[in-house]
Amino acid sequence: NPGTVVSPAFTLDSVPEGTAFIRFRLVDKNVPDFNHGGGVVAWDGSKTVAAGAFKYKQPCPPDGSHTYEWQATAQTKKNGGKLGSAKAQRKYPE
């Protein structure tokens, strides 16, 4: 069972004009149906989102290494209005 932890810091690049919120979601590419959660943060135009902006279920693969992917979606509203998205992934544990 993964523990609930605070989010890491994120560095942003090429955020679309009109973005008011960014939705973050962690996906286990080996078990995509498991909900690791994420959060929505108001975007103030800065290039970073501070650590601890939301909580999520940490990576905790039951067997070996899994590939995890952070998905970030730029939005005009807290619950929609998608403007663009980005992804970054890595194996855990390495």
Side-chain angles (χ1 to χ4, degrees):
N1 285 334
T4 299
V5 295
V6 297
S7 61
F10 292 92
T11 301
L12 307 174
D13 186 13
S14 302
V15 177
E17 187 174 326
T19 299
F21 295 91
I22 300 177
R23 177 177 301 277
F24 293 92
R25 180 172 177 247
L26 182 64
V27 176
D28 181 339
K29 300 298 280 184
N30 298 85
V31 188
D33 291 337
F34 185 85
N35 184 8
H36 279 278
V40 178
V41 297
W43 188 59
D44 63 5
S46 71
K47 298 233 181 236
T48 60
V49 173
F54 57 89
K55 292 184 180 182
Y56 71 102
K57 293 178 186 171
Q58 71 187 43
C60 185
D63 55 352
S65 184
H66 283 200
T67 299
Y68 289 88
E69 180 177 83
W70 276 110
Q71 300 173 349
T73 304
Q75 303 177 169
T76 57
K77 300 179 282 190
K78 188 171 185 176
N79 292 314
K82 179 179 175 178
L83 294 170
S85 61
K87 299 175 182 178
Q89 62 179 320
R90 67 179 264 208
K91 289 204 173 275
Y92 180 86
E94 288 188 278

